[in-house]
Amino acid sequence: MSGPLDGVKIVELSVALTGPLAVGMLVDQGAEAIKVELPGFGDQGRYVGVNKAGVSAMFQICNRGKRAIAVDARDERGRDIVLDLVADADLFVQNMRPGALDRMGLGAEALHARKPDLVIAALSGFGQTGPYAHRRVYDSVVQAQAGLAASQMGLYDDEPAFLRQVAADKITAYTACQAITAALLARERGAGGQVVECSMLDSVISFLFTDAAGHEILLDNDMPHVSQSFSAQQKAMRLLDGFIVVTPVTDAEFHGIAASFDVDSSNPLLATMADRVQNKEEMSALMREVYASAATRTLAEATAAMESNDVPFGVVLGVDQVADDPQVVHNETFVTHESPVLGRVQQTRPPARFTKTKAEIRSPEAPVLGAHTDEVLTEYGWGDRIDELREAGVIQ
């Protein structure tokens, strides 16, 4: 394994999606991770959605290539095992509720006492402190509280709309992953160990405000107040045998989309972007003509015409169609393997490619609960106590 994070060792006490996905991306880039779960049930992410033998599809993607041990860190013997793992680690990742690990003797102070240059990532819902810090949090809670659900409302909608995916968790995972690598780089430059705090609330607000809160950023602007992203007006274009989306931004793209569907766009009121902004009625009327003409074309006809006019467009694919798309096949985005536990598994490769330090899936398998308990405990000097600990319920 020669990924860019080759040699980085991680101890993970995180569950569900945010922490496991953040660590999973680091593992795909070469890091080694030991995932610590409670005996008996383990990470609840194992059972969310489509699952088999205690491994869900989500768990598979987030936890492939990790070694998993089942240790009850609430027991002082389990806590000592975790501290021994930390002594050999570069990074510790947890997404427990604020204060939970302190009560277990695994807070930042205890971890840094054992490994002073350890990078600790503390992921949370609302933050480590504050009026909401104690609350139990899931994705939809943050979509609501961060403004994301309200931002999905159309101008004439009377109810907020939630993204139909676990968006807040994934946004936070990507944010945390970047912050963790920054902290590891800072450590290499002499900054030493530190705690990286990353909340779902902050991550999603930052994500949202980039393009969907113009009036809330430029407070003294005098433009009409529309509380949506400039992408909110996107609408799928119906064809005879499918849907596409078009995004004509420049003048050439606008006139190109009109030409693609044999609609005359020579009206001087629509010549430039500034003209089209000023003359919304004429613009809307022309686009209605474009959509009406598109409804008489096949997908093959429409794509050929738009490619010839250099129009930005995308075909609306079902999730079940994505893996067979010609560009996706060319990119080798998906890899498949035969799992002894799950059967045939198709999953995405690490999306970022490196020319010198190749990122690849460390192992295609996500571990079953406690798959590596004996192996890891033996490596860390607890081999002669395995039977005792298992009989006491400390490990599985």
Side-chain angles (χ1 to χ4, degrees):
M1 191 70 176
S2 59
L5 295 179
D6 184 38
V8 172
K9 295 184 177 181
I10 305 170
V11 177
E12 175 192 349
L13 267 74
S14 67
V15 296
L17 181 54
T18 303
L21 177 57
V23 174
M25 289 188 284
L26 300 173
V27 170
D28 280 349
Q29 293 178 0
E32 303 173 31
I34 297 174
K35 181 181 180 71
V36 182
E37 300 176 74
L38 274 175
F41 187 75
D43 179 349
Q44 64 261 41
R46 290 181 172 277
Y47 314 102
V48 174
V50 178
N51 67 87
K52 181 179 180 182
V55 177
S56 69
M58 183 182 82
F59 188 89
Q60 166 66 35
I61 293 294
C62 295
N63 295 282
R64 63 192 182 194
K66 301 176 184 178
R67 292 199 290 174
I69 65 174
V71 173
D72 188 349
R74 298 170 300 185
D75 184 286
E76 63 179 15
R77 293 163 293 185
R79 177 203 61 205
D80 290 344
I81 290 171
V82 173
L83 289 172
D84 281 352
L85 301 180
V86 164
D88 188 42
D90 302 291
L91 170 67
F92 181 87
V93 179
Q94 61 93 357
N95 65 348
M96 307 300 175
R97 272 203 275 185
L101 288 188
D102 291 291
R103 293 189 291 272
M104 294 162 59
L106 292 172
E109 186 176 344
L111 297 177
H112 278 146
R114 192 62 181 269
K115 185 69 182 296
D117 67 345
L118 184 72
V119 172
I120 301 170
L123 314 182
S124 63
F126 289 122
Q128 296 298 315
T129 59
Y132 304 159
H134 65 284
R135 293 182 182 178
R136 185 176 293 276
V137 177
Y138 291 106
D139 183 88
S140 58
V141 173
V142 177
Q143 284 201 40
Q145 203 78 41
L148 188 60
S151 78
Q152 302 307 300
M153 295 172 67
L155 294 176
Y156 306 106
D157 295 337
D158 58 3
E159 290 185 0
F162 291 83
L163 295 183
R164 296 181 180 182
Q165 54 178 294
V166 193
D169 280 87
K170 290 188 286 186
I171 290 166
T172 309
Y174 278 79
T175 303
C177 187
Q178 189 281 324
I180 286 166
T181 54
L184 290 171
L185 176 61
R187 192 183 73 157
E188 290 299 305
R189 293 176 170 178
Q194 63 178 306
V195 178
V196 178
E197 296 183 0
C198 187
S199 76
M200 294 172 69
L201 182 66
D202 290 346
S203 299
V204 175
I205 290 175
S206 180
F207 175 86
L208 177 69
F209 269 55
T210 301
D211 72 319
H215 292 276
E216 290 71 32
I217 294 173
L218 303 183
L219 299 177
D220 295 327
N221 78 89
D222 56 2
M223 294 180 67
H225 194 286
V226 178
S227 60
Q228 297 173 308
S229 167
F230 47 75
S231 67
Q233 305 306 317
Q234 294 293 346
K235 179 183 177 182
M237 179 179 287
R238 182 184 292 275
L239 304 172
L240 286 172
D241 54 350
F243 291 88
I244 58 172
V245 66
V246 296
T247 311
V249 176
T250 68
D251 295 338
E253 291 165 354
F254 168 75
H255 295 293
I257 190 64
S260 297
F261 295 101
D262 300 322
V263 174
D264 181 9
S265 63
S266 62
N267 185 342
L269 295 177
L270 301 175
T272 69
M273 184 183 296
D275 293 328
R276 294 190 293 277
V277 170
Q278 290 295 320
N279 301 292
K280 294 185 183 298
E281 289 188 13
E282 289 80 0
M283 174 66 171
S284 295
L286 184 138
M287 290 307 297
R288 285 196 294 271
E289 286 187 57
V290 169
Y291 275 72
S293 179
T296 68
R297 313 295 177 91
T298 66
L299 181 60
E301 291 169 340
T303 56
M306 287 186 291
E307 284 196 351
S308 68
N309 285 291
D310 200 22
V311 173
F313 73 93
V315 178
V316 177
L317 298 178
V319 175
D320 59 331
Q321 298 174 297
V322 170
D324 296 323
D325 179 76
Q327 185 66 50
V328 175
V329 172
H330 172 82
N331 289 354
E332 299 179 331
T333 303
F334 287 89
V335 294
T336 59
H337 76 282
E338 190 77 28
S339 166
V341 176
L342 304 175
R344 290 181 302 137
V345 175
Q346 174 179 259
Q347 56 189 329
T348 53
R349 63 162 171 79
R353 285 176 158 166
F354 300 78
T355 58
K356 292 186 177 180
T357 53
K358 184 178 181 181
E360 56 188 1
I361 298 174
R362 173 176 287 277
S363 167
E365 292 290 307
V368 296
L369 182 60
H372 304 95
T373 301
D374 290 8
E375 174 184 301
V376 171
L377 263 60
T378 299
E379 286 179 17
Y380 283 83
W382 289 78
D384 60 348
R385 298 187 63 183
I386 286 175
D387 291 341
E388 165 208 336
L389 295 169
R390 182 161 285 126
E391 185 176 346
V394 178
I395 66 172
Q396 178 179 332

